[in-house]
């Protein structure tokens, strides 16, 4: 052993590194939101998410109880409960709907109905929400809990591939436009869904598209070259692949002259997209 070399290198080897909050991946989005943890650059940390949820106004009953039961059942019966939005994000969407007061909402990617119920509980009596979902088992669970929340008259679920459902809506002679479109489906399909929305003019002139997961697990900006991975925090190849898809989507929207967008570093990244005004 080269003791002289070891003596020179030992201080660097045992040097105490500056504290950096460790990025943890959440197992269940609605139960443990650690996948929005901070990397020390100002993003929301898991403990702050918990604090925000605890102090944010809960849903009125029966909605809060229904959402809690749905959360638990999804955790038990489905292998991918992380696909649910977080509890705080659900409360945000509820408040956003209450402020925006949309007549029609379109949800692309409904999963087991958690976000639909969160948004539907803020709808006015004559307003409607249409949720597009592919998996029949997800739909069966969603419909049951929508019924428990007594929202079956406000929330409709359409089964099938989202792109085909969007085209069917667009080609219906009874033209329907939506004041809010919540995009939370397969990430590789985001660009196609957006283009179908624009082709058939499904977004109302004063409407907004809210796209979820646009900063996917804090990796999208890294794939864009804004930051390198820490040595002790390495994303999987699958995560990086999905992050690249979201980067492509973000760039696609940013370069589209028909719309304008703001990306917010909250939750897993939210984009607000609206038609550009030429007035």
């Amino acid at each position: 052993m080269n003791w002289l070399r070891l003596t020179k290198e030992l201080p660097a080897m045992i040097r105490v590194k500056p504290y950096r909050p460790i990025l943890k991946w959440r197992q269940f989005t609605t139960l443990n939101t650690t996948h929005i943890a901070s990397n020390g650059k100002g993003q929301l940390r898991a403990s702050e998410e918990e604090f925000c949820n605890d102090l944010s106004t809960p849903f009125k009953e029966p909605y809060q109880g229904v959402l809690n039961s749905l959360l638990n059942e999804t955790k038990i019966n489905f292998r991918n409960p992380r696909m649910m939005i977080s509890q705080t994000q659900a409360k945000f969407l509820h408040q956003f709907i209450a402020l925006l007061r949309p007549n029609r909402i379109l949800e692309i990617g409904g999963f087991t109905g958690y976000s639909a119920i969160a948004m539907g509980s803020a709808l006015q009596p004559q307003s409607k929400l249409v949720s597009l979902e592919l998996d029949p088992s997800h739909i069966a669970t969603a419909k049951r809990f929508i019924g428990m929340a007594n929202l079956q008259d406000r929330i409709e679920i359409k089964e099938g591939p989202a792109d085909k459902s969007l085209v069917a809506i667009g080609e219906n002679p009874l033209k329907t436009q939506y004041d809010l479109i919540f995009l939370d489906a397969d990430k590789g399909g985001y660009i196609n869904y957006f283009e179908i929305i624009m082709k058939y003019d499904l977004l109302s002139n004063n409407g907004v598209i809210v796209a979820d997961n646009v900063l996917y697990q804090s990796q999208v900006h890294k794939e864009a070259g804004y930051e390198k991975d820490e040595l002790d925090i390495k994303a999987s190849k699958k995560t990086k692949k999905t992050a690249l898809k979201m980067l492509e989507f973000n760039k696609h929207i940013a370069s589209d002259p028909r719309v304008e967008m703001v990306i917010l570093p909250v939750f897993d990244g939210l984009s607000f997209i609206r038609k550009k005004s030429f007035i």
Side-chain angles (χ1 to χ4, degrees), residues 78-219:
F78 296 92
R79 62 181 179 83
N80 50 356
R82 60 182 177 78
M83 289 171 58
M84 285 188 293
I85 60 173
S86 73
Q87 295 179 75
T88 307
Q89 187 173 352
K91 291 176 180 177
F92 164 75
L93 288 174
H94 175 90
Q95 294 293 344
F96 188 61
I97 300 304
L99 289 169
L100 193 64
R101 299 172 72 89
N103 288 320
R104 294 187 179 276
I105 298 175
L106 178 63
E107 178 182 50
I108 305 175
F111 194 37
T112 57
Y114 194 89
S115 52
I117 293 172
M119 291 187 287
S121 62
L123 285 175
Q124 299 298 304
Q126 301 305 316
S127 300
K128 303 293 182 183
L129 184 154
V130 175
S131 180
L132 309 183
E133 175 55 42
L134 176 64
D135 192 317
S137 63
H138 296 167
I139 292 173
T141 299
K143 285 185 174 180
R144 182 158 48 86
F145 279 91
I146 289 168
M148 291 170 60
N150 198 28
L151 291 172
Q152 62 273 13
D153 293 334
R154 300 183 197 178
I155 301 175
E156 175 189 359
I157 300 179
K158 291 184 179 294
E159 180 178 345
D163 54 351
K164 292 184 179 180
S165 294
L166 285 170
V167 170
I169 293 172
E171 293 182 346
N172 191 319
L174 300 175
K175 183 176 177 62
T176 301
Q177 287 188 314
Y178 297 90
D179 304 309
L180 186 144
I181 299 176
F182 183 51
L183 179 53
D184 189 22
D186 57 296
K187 309 314 165 192
Y190 270 35
I191 293 177
N192 186 36
Y193 301 147
F194 170 77
E195 288 299 331
I196 296 173
I197 290 167
M198 299 303 291
K199 176 182 178 181
Y200 290 101
D201 199 22
L202 298 182
L203 183 66
S204 65
N205 288 337
N206 294 316
V208 59
I209 299 172
V210 180
D212 199 12
N213 307 118
V214 296
L215 298 179
Y216 196 74
Q217 297 191 2
S218 296
Q219 295 300 311

Side-chain angles (χ1 to χ4, degrees), residues 237-272:
K237 290 182 179 179
K238 182 179 180 180
T239 296
K240 285 181 173 290
K241 183 178 179 180
T242 303
L244 282 171
K245 293 177 181 178
M246 297 313 300
L247 175 60
E248 183 180 359
F249 170 74
N250 292 333
K251 289 182 175 180
H252 184 83
I253 302 300
S255 63
D256 193 313
R258 299 170 294 179
V259 297
E260 52 190 30
M261 168 182 68
V262 60
I263 301 175
L264 298 180
V266 294
F267 310 116
D268 200 25
L270 285 179
S271 285
F272 293 80

Side-chain angles (χ1 to χ4, degrees), residues 19 21-24 26 31-39 43-55 88:
Y19 169 74
I22 297 176
L23 182 65
K24 300 177 182 178
R26 65 182 177 183
L31 301 177
N32 180 13
T33 56
T34 49
H35 121 259
I36 56 171
S38 171
N39 61 359
Q43 293 167 295
L44 191 64
R45 287 179 289 270
S47 57
E48 289 173 339
E49 158 77 11
E50 183 179 4
F51 169 81
C52 292
N53 180 59
D54 288 346
L55 270 67
T88 307

